[in-house]
Amino acid sequence: MICVPLVSSSREELERDLHEAARAADVVEFRLDYLAGARPRELLPLSRLPAIFTCRRRSDGGRWEGRESDRLALLQEAVDAGAPYVDVEVDAAAGLRRRPPTRTIISYHNFEETPEDLEDVYARVASLHPDVAKVVTTARDILDNLRLFRLLQRASLPTIAFAMGERGLVSRVLTPKFGGYLTFASLRRGAESAPGQPTAEELHSLYRYRQISARTAVFGVIGNPIGHSLSPHIHNAAFRQAGLDAVYLPFLVDDVVKFLQGFAAIPVAGYSVTLPHKVAVMSALDEVEPMAREIGAVNTVVSRDGRLFGSNTDCAAAVGALVSALGDRPGDRSPLAGKSVVLLGAGGAARALAYGLRREGALLTILNRTAAKAEELARPLGSQWGGLEGLAQSRCDVLINTTSVGMHPRVEESIVPPAALRPGMVVFEAVYNPMKTRLLREAEAAGCLTVSGVDWFVEQAALQFETWTGRSAPRRLMRDIVVATLAEREAERSRTSGAT
Ligand code: NAP
């Protein structure tokens, strides 16, 4: 079930929110600490959905500053009026006279951590014989979620258990997988009643919360930061289209090795891996495909019979996007063979491309702001290298930008002088935020063939989907989702920059 807390402070807003919540939630929560002077008896008939009555003290993350006896009197009024649920904290539960039909939720909140003695905390709550036990902690580490899952699996009575904060999102979304009684979701962004609460819309349309069950396969992206990752949008949409019982989550991870060991208990069926974990992840895998080992980075992990296999779809996706722009050649020869390619940048993206290009037989020159890094990458590949000043003299068939120049917020920058762009040349841009960088705009104007960072991003995700599922990926849908999500973010940015 999804419970939407109503955090409006006026009666008018409350009635509007109740109307909206009726479409998104199974249960609503009246927060008496937000509604000064509101009486449970008057609120009760307003909701078509079953309602929880709660009145949180400041120390429990609420707004109540009045006397404790007045607070308990309000909760008692809700019980006496026959409210479906009343939530009272574990230390205050003795002060409430409980009686049917009201179900009492006895709750524990910890805004600092997920304490070591979590099982004892639960035992203390359960010893008071609540109708529903509630244990809400804060995830300081992603592994804290596992302890809440174990608590749910062993629970002796209906239990709500999850962790707050960005690292706890996983426990909120996977509640139905582990038999949790309900999860909380805000009505809209900005209406959260606790840190890390997703919106009801996200639970429904992004994570397909209602379809999640004990059998649902779990996938996700490991990174740090991870909040703005496009991967949950693209992969959840692809799973939905393919009719797969699977959900894809963002995992905010500090220590990737400990994370993989811990989450083997769920188990997770597959991962995308992004910055800064693409290198460190390799030491935690049972097997790494030779190309990924050569590149020195893994961006895809699949679990088969409990063993973790790593691969790199960045390389194949980038080369694939270039090959289709150049057009297939008759015979076995790659269209990149013998082509002169200038690769700008020597970071992670450049690495994945450089190995792929060498394999295709391209004549590669790597130019980077820090020339020593270009040399480090180029030497083992037998390629040329130099600083960015080398760009002015270069005449190439393919020009690739893998530097972050042009990326939001410095969208008006490009390191390629327009004079270096010639008709018929292929220009490949790694940056996808914004979708059309200054380099791509100028390359189009100069009559170049262009390949965008979106093409690359979609293809690496499509190859991941195929690695995990063995099915062909819904590329068109994946592309539409990426374009729509990026367009929404670009519009949001221009709205907020216009407002300031
Ligand atoms: P990275 O490892 O941090 O490397 C950044 C590169 O950009 C380095 O070569 C750096 O040069 C160069 N650079 C940064 N600021 C510069 C400046 N002001 N002038 C000149 N060069 C500058 O990052 P990465 O992982 O390679 O990612 C690079 C870009 O590719 C990002 O925008 C990322 O979003 C994008 N990307 C896209 C995809 C996709 O699927 N489309 C995949 C991967 C990456 P120094 O060595 O001198 O610092």
Side-chain angles (χ1 to χ4, degrees), residues 5 8 45 68 106 144 190 259 331 384 425 429 445 489:
S8 35
E68 179 63 358
I106 297 187
D144 290 339
F259 167 78
Q384 305 289 309
M425 190 171 150
E429 171 68 286
R489 289 182 188 175

Side-chain angles (χ1 to χ4, degrees), residues 212-243:
I212 298 176
S213 72
R215 289 181 307 280
T216 301
V218 178
F219 294 82
V221 55
I222 306 169
N224 192 347
I226 205 64
H228 284 93
S229 173
L230 292 169
S231 297
H233 297 270
I234 197 169
H235 286 299
N236 279 315
F239 288 149
R240 181 198 296 252
Q241 168 118 338

